[in-house]
Amino acid sequence: MKQLSGKVAIVTGASSGIGYETAKLFAREGAQVVVTARRQAELDALVADIEQGGGEAIAVAGDIKDEQLARALVEVAVGRFGGLDIAFNNAGSVGEIAALADLSVDAWKSVLDTNLTGAFLGAKFQIPAMVKRGGGSIIFTSSFVGHTVGFPGMGAYAASKAGLTGLMQVIAVEYAAHGVRANALLPGGTDTPAGRAVANTPEARAFIEGLYALKRLATPAEIARSALYLASDASSFTTGSCLMVDGGVSINRT
């Protein structure tokens, strides 16, 4: 039996990488999926891919910093598919990489608005729909950066991702009685377009891979499978947790 049969899911940041693979996996596992990102053409390709595989999906393009988008995603999930059971708040940005004293206020605000406020806005509208449904699973893409590791130049990113942990924990305790679970997924470096932009030379990639106990980066499909665990009933007693999927980078010293 498919793990998400009869479920309705929202996936943000779905135009590439982890979000793209997770949306496809959720659909293969039986979920009806509402996908969002800023790039309409990539979302349309994703929907076509899902439909070709026999799944159901609808795309709503926009910026997750926009409260109206957050509202619209839930309205589409309810109006088109009848409700909302799963939300994978995955969209995010690394932002400007700079030492803290050199980081502009605008750059700081941009990352916090995208990674933290965007997730808050998503959850603000997702939670009432899940409560009406009798429960659900909210998943935030956080990071080991700001949780177990501090990387130079990533102050805004680390702060935003650490903030997601606090947000997730409060949601978990506030809405547990309503059957809503909240968890954070903490991926390590993943072979995505954004990741390749950072590891943009063979030397840089080799250095980054060497930080990991597994001595490689994750594939987006590997991270998607962990998102599926948190979305499904397999994790029915898991809430308020940070699931590390970081290839051992947090504990590696070799």
Side-chain angles (χ1 to χ4, degrees), residues 6-101:
K7 304 293 187 181
V8 180
I10 289 171
V11 178
T12 74
S15 60
S16 66
I18 293 169
Y20 195 97
E21 291 298 328
T22 301
K24 291 199 299 181
L25 180 59
F26 282 6
R28 287 198 303 272
E29 289 294 333
Q32 297 166 302
V33 186
V34 180
V35 296
T36 190
R38 288 175 295 179
R39 297 178 293 174
Q40 185 72 57
E42 284 78 359
L43 290 177
D44 290 343
L46 171 58
V47 170
D49 200 359
I50 288 172
E51 292 177 342
Q52 187 174 10
E56 292 184 76
I58 185 169
V60 181
D63 190 327
I64 60 163
K65 297 192 298 293
D66 181 0
E67 183 174 359
Q68 294 310 309
L69 174 68
R71 187 195 306 270
L73 291 171
V74 174
E75 289 176 346
V76 169
V78 173
R80 175 74 176 267
F81 298 129
L84 180 66
D85 306 284
I86 300 158
F88 184 35
N89 294 300
N90 166 72
S93 171
V94 172
E96 180 181 325
I97 296 177
L100 199 69

Side-chain angles (χ1 to χ4, degrees), residues 118-211:
F120 154 71
L121 290 172
K124 176 179 173 65
F125 294 100
Q126 293 155 7
I127 289 168
M130 289 183 183
V131 169
K132 288 181 181 178
R133 199 79 152 160
S137 174
I138 298 180
I139 307 158
F140 299 100
T141 298
S142 186
S143 176
F144 69 95
V145 179
H147 186 72
T148 58
V149 173
F151 276 144
M154 301 187 75
Y157 180 81
S160 68
K161 294 299 187 178
L164 283 176
T165 299
L167 175 65
M168 171 273 292
Q169 290 173 339
V170 170
I171 292 170
V173 297
E174 283 185 343
Y175 293 97
H178 298 280
V180 176
R181 298 184 296 110
N183 294 285
L185 182 63
L186 279 61
T190 306
D191 190 14
T192 64
R196 288 191 290 273
V198 176
N200 55 7
T201 68
E203 294 78 16
R205 174 142 183 159
F207 172 78
I208 292 171
E209 288 178 338
L211 298 174

